[in-house]
């Protein structure tokens, strides 16, 4: 098989899995009906916790925002695992013969699309709610994309790790939150620069986010097959 | 041509030998019924033959591929009906089959024909699979195998949950598949409904196989 044909097959399989997951999510309305309200609620509650102190909230906006996205990642990754766990559905991925790396890419892409959709509403929401302002749209957008790729890949990979564990709903956050700490730190720094709260060289933090994303994608592509078989 | 060849195959599940040295040879076009009580190892045997499990000891080959080293190739050529139906509950029957057909690269054009063959009424094809009855879901799961047209059919308790019409359709499909050269391994805790289909019956107990029906 030529490299071009192999790439097309890979992209087709990944697209099939992503489209399937997104269609299921659209039907279940989980992201729109539960995850998004959850994210907005967390932002509001953070505001209450800081006593609506505008200067403090403005300074804390990047960190609060990415903590919220991290919580959303946990929920989205759990949903992604649950789709394949119910009624032995993961056997579709195993028996179809598609490359496990393509299945992983599709699962991660579906989670990424959901996260980006949530971020598209939560970022402006946080800016408005906390009285911040976006000073560099390209920096904020690049940080969002790089962080989202890293988080969705980590979530999909660790979701496969815990898929066979009986208490996977509680185990996944325990694994995912520490692993995502570098994203939280780097995305917060990049956003702090992008929102003009602290000048910290935001693009270098975006570079770190891209590196983290690349590592997670590579590890996931290699490890997903064995994890799927063992689940 | 030998399609399934197991010699002293051992499969450990959680350290427990679910298959304890099973010997099995199945030739192309055969319909073999494996009957035995619950927990005898029938499902494990089918999962091993489908390339979903790795033998811990012994030799195991399916469709000429070694199950220790080349399970991915086996998985592309078998159809497995397990206890669960492997359907996405929020997708309709037709959507489930289209996803499956595209993933297997067999083309989604046959989806309607497969559902026709399984007798699933048109009004139910766009209903989410989670809202179908157990028997209807079973029919959709069988349709997925029909769509793929595998070389080896592995059917675990295939008659379970099916009504009389569904059982007759299943029997017709299995008979036609075998006539077309496919190999079929059926597993059932009761020989009754599947016995008429089988060209050979084996008994299974304690993770091993012996010729003849369970007594």
């Amino acid at each position: 098989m030529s490299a071009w044909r192999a790439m097309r097959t890979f992209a087709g399989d990944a697209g099939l899995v992503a489209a399937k997951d997104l269609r299921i999510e659209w039907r279940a309305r989980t992201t729109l009906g539960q995850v998004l309200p959850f994210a907005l609620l967390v932002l509001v509650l953070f505001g209450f916790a800081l006593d609506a102190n505008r200067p403090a909230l403005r300074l804390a906006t990047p960190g609060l925002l990415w903590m919220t996205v991290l919580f959303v990642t946990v929920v989205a990754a759990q949903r992604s695992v649950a789709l394949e766990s119910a009624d032995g559905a993961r056997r579709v991925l195993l028996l179809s013969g598609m490359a496990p790396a393509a299945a992983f890419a599709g699962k991660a892409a579906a989670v990424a699309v959901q996260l980006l959709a949530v971020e598209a509403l939560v970022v402006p929401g946080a800016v408005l709610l906390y009285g911040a302002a976006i000073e560099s749209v390209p920096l904020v957008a690049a940080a969002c994309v790089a962080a989202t790729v890293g988080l969705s890949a980590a979530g999909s990979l660790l979701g496969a790790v815990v898929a066979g564990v009986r208490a996977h709903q509680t185990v996944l956050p325990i694994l995912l939150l520490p692993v995502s700490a570098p994203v939280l730190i780097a995305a917060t720094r990049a956003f702090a620069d992008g929102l003009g709260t602290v000048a910290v060289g935001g693009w270098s933090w975006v570079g770190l986010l891209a590196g983290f994303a690349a590592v997670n994608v590579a590890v996931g592509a290699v490890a997903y097959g064995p994890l799927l078989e063992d689940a | 041509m030998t399609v399934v060849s197991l010699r002293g195959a051992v499969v450990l599940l959680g350290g427990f030998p679910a298959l304890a040295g099973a010997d099995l040879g199945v030739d192309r076009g055969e319909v073999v019924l494996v009957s035995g009580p619950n927990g005898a190892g029938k499902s494990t045997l089918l999962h091993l033959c489908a390339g979903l499990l790795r033998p811990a000891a012994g030799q195991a080959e399916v469709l000429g591929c070694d199950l220790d080293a080349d399970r991915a190739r086996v998985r592309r050529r078998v159809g497995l009906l397990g206890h669960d139906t492997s359907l996405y509950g929020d997708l309709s029957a037709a959507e489930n089959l289209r996803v499956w057909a595209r993933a297997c690269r067999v083309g989604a054009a046959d989806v309607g024909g497969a559902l026709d063959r399984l007798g699933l009424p048109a009004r139910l094809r766009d209903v989410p699979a989670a809202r179908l009855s157990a028997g209807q879901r079973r029919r959709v799961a069988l349709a997925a195998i029909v769509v793929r047209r595998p070389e080896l059919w592995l059917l675990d308790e295939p008659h379970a949950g099916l009504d009389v019409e569904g059982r007759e359709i299943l029997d017709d499909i299995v008979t036609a598949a075998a006539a077309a050269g496919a190999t079929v391994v059926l597993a059932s805790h009761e020989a009754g409904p599947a016995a008429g289909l089988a060209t050979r019956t084996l008994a299974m107990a304690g993770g091993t196989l012996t010729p003849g029906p369970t007594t």
Side-chain angles (χ1 to χ4, degrees), chain A residues 62-121:
Chain A
L64 299 181
L65 189 63
W66 282 101
M67 276 302 294
T68 306
V69 173
L70 218 54
F71 290 150
V72 170
T73 305
V74 171
V75 177
Q78 279 176 333
R79 279 283 303 161
S80 180
V81 177
L83 296 185
E84 307 304 332
S85 304
D87 203 14
R90 77 184 173 86
R91 235 186 268 142
V92 171
L93 301 180
L94 269 173
L95 288 174
S96 67
M98 77 167 58
F104 169 76
K107 299 288 294 177
V111 172
V113 168
Q114 293 171 68
L115 288 184
L116 285 171
V118 170
E119 286 164 21
L121 292 169

Side-chain angles (χ1 to χ4, degrees), chain A residues 1 43 59 62 81 91 95-96 98 100 117 133 138 142 169 172 178 215 220:
Chain A
M1 190 187 287
L43 283 180
L59 270 177
V81 177
R91 235 186 268 142
L95 288 174
S96 67
M98 77 167 58
Q169 286 175 322
L172 181 58
V215 168

Side-chain angles (χ1 to χ4, degrees), chain B residues 58-133:
Chain B
Q59 288 184 310
E61 282 186 11
V62 171
L63 296 161
C65 302
D66 184 78
L67 284 179
D68 197 32
D70 206 5
R71 286 178 297 146
R73 275 184 64 197
V74 172
R75 289 198 289 257
R76 290 188 201 111
R77 297 162 68 188
V78 302
L80 172 67
L81 177 69
H83 290 288
D84 36 33
T85 55
S86 303
L87 299 176
Y88 296 102
D90 284 306
L91 297 184
S92 69
E95 286 171 332
N96 266 289
L97 290 195
R98 279 198 289 271
V99 167
W100 170 246
R102 279 193 58 198
C104 296
R105 301 187 222 308
V106 291
D110 293 340
V111 164
L115 289 171
D116 282 343
R117 208 165 158 201
L118 265 298
L120 193 75
R123 66 187 162 81
L124 295 177
R125 292 179 192 184
D126 295 320
V127 171
R131 288 197 215 147
L132 299 176
S133 72

Side-chain angles (χ1 to χ4, degrees), chain A residues 4 10 40 109 145 227:
Chain A
W4 171 243
F10 182 94
L40 293 172
V145 171
L227 290 171

